[in-house]
Amino acid sequence: MEKKMNKFFAALGLSLILGAFAMAQTVVALRDNTPLRSDNGKGGVEWALEILAGQKLELLDPTPVQMDLVTSSETTPNVDFYKVRHQGKNYFIRTSEATPASQAAVITQDAVLFTRPRLSDFRNALLEAGSIVVAGNQVTHAGIDFTEVFFFDTAAWQIRSRYVVTDMVSKSNSDVEAVQLLQKASTMKDKGVQQELVQSAMNLNTSSEIEKLLQDFAQ
C-alpha cells in the first residue's frame, strides 16, 4: 500500500511539473521602446520602464485585465493589459503593444503587405527592413510561400496581422538581437557608444540582409 501511495504522489508531482511547463507562456513586445507599467495600488498602472521591441516576457495570465492607465496628464479607464514578469518583477503591458508568442522575428528586406496569402491581395503598404514582428502560420499559394506576421501599427496604435513573402522574414535570434542593438544605437547621442553597439551587432552571426543594415547605419 505504501509503495502504491509513493508511486501515486510521484506521478502527481510529475504531472504538476509538466502542467506548469505546459502553462508557461510568453509575450513579445512589438512597439519600439514599449512601456512596462506597475500597479499603483489604486486600480491603475503607472509607467515603470521601457523595453525594446522584440523583448520576450513571461506571460503570467493569458487573459487580459482592465486597469486605469495613469499618466502625468490624464487617466484613461479600463485599458486592457497583460500581466507579465520581467527580471523577477511583475508589470503590465498593453495588449495593443504586445502579442503572445514564443519568439520575435525580423523583416530582412522592405516587404509588401498582403491582406491574404496571395499576390492579388497586396496593400499599398510595407514593413521596412529591420522591423520587429512575430511570425505566424506559413501558407503556400501559386507556388509562393507567405508568412503571417503580427506587428505594431503606429498609425492605428494596435497590433496588426498581415502576410509577407516568407523569404523576407527571419526567425534567427542573432538577426533579432542585432536589430535590437541597432535600435539602441539609433537612440544614442554618444558616437562612441553607437559604434560599440553596432560593432557588437556585427559580431553576431547575422544574415547578409541584416549585416547590410548594420553597415549602412555605420557609414
Side-chain angles (χ1 to χ4, degrees):
M1 181 67 178
E2 183 178 351
K3 289 183 177 180
K4 288 184 178 180
M5 291 299 291
N6 288 339
K7 288 182 179 180
F8 169 76
F9 284 115
L12 177 61
L14 180 60
S15 66
L16 290 174
I17 292 172
L18 292 176
F21 277 119
M23 292 175 64
Q25 300 181 57
T26 55
V27 65
V28 173
L30 289 177
R31 173 187 166 189
D32 287 347
N33 299 317
T34 307
L36 294 184
R37 296 177 168 88
S38 297
D39 191 337
N40 64 5
K42 302 175 183 178
V45 295
E46 299 177 351
W47 184 92
L49 56 92
E50 292 180 350
I51 57 174
L52 293 172
Q55 176 69 54
K56 185 169 65 174
L57 309 163
E58 182 183 352
L59 181 59
L60 299 180
D61 190 341
T63 303
V65 296
Q66 288 193 333
M67 304 284 284
D68 293 343
L69 174 58
V70 181
T71 67
S72 58
S73 59
E74 62 181 351
T75 297
T76 306
N78 302 325
V79 177
D80 288 333
F81 292 91
Y82 291 120
K83 191 173 183 179
V84 298
R85 180 173 290 126
H86 176 59
Q87 297 182 341
K89 295 183 178 180
N90 292 352
Y91 296 101
F92 293 86
I93 188 169
R94 290 189 69 165
T95 59
S96 60
E97 299 173 348
T99 190
S102 60
Q103 68 178 62
V106 63
I107 300 297
T108 57
Q109 306 172 54
D110 291 350
V112 175
L113 298 177
F114 300 86
T115 307
R116 293 188 297 169
R118 57 188 65 196
L119 292 178
S120 59
D121 288 326
F122 70 91
R123 298 181 64 86
N124 187 26
L126 57 79
L127 281 176
E128 294 182 351
S131 298
I132 295 288
V133 300
V134 163
N137 295 329
Q138 184 172 319
V139 181
T140 300
H141 182 265
I144 300 174
D145 292 332
F146 295 88
T147 295
E148 184 179 17
V149 294
F150 301 86
F151 60 95
F152 181 70
D153 186 337
T154 54
W157 212 259
Q158 66 181 40
I159 303 297
R160 292 284 194 195
S161 168
R162 295 287 185 265
Y163 287 87
V164 299
V165 175
T166 296
D167 288 345
M168 297 182 178
V169 183
S170 171
K171 299 179 182 178
S172 163
N173 288 331
S174 294
D175 282 351
V176 173
E177 185 178 347
V179 168
Q180 289 178 312
L181 289 170
L182 188 57
Q183 287 179 11
K184 278 187 179 179
S186 66
T187 64
M188 296 295 174
K189 295 181 180 179
D190 189 309
K191 295 296 183 181
V193 175
Q194 276 190 351
Q195 292 175 359
E196 289 180 7
L197 290 170
V198 173
Q199 187 59 53
S200 295
M202 287 182 171
N203 290 337
L204 298 171
N205 184 26
T206 65
S207 64
S208 58
E209 294 89 354
I210 298 303
E211 183 179 2
K212 184 177 185 306
L213 280 182
L214 297 171
Q215 291 172 346
D216 290 345
F217 182 86
Q219 290 177 355

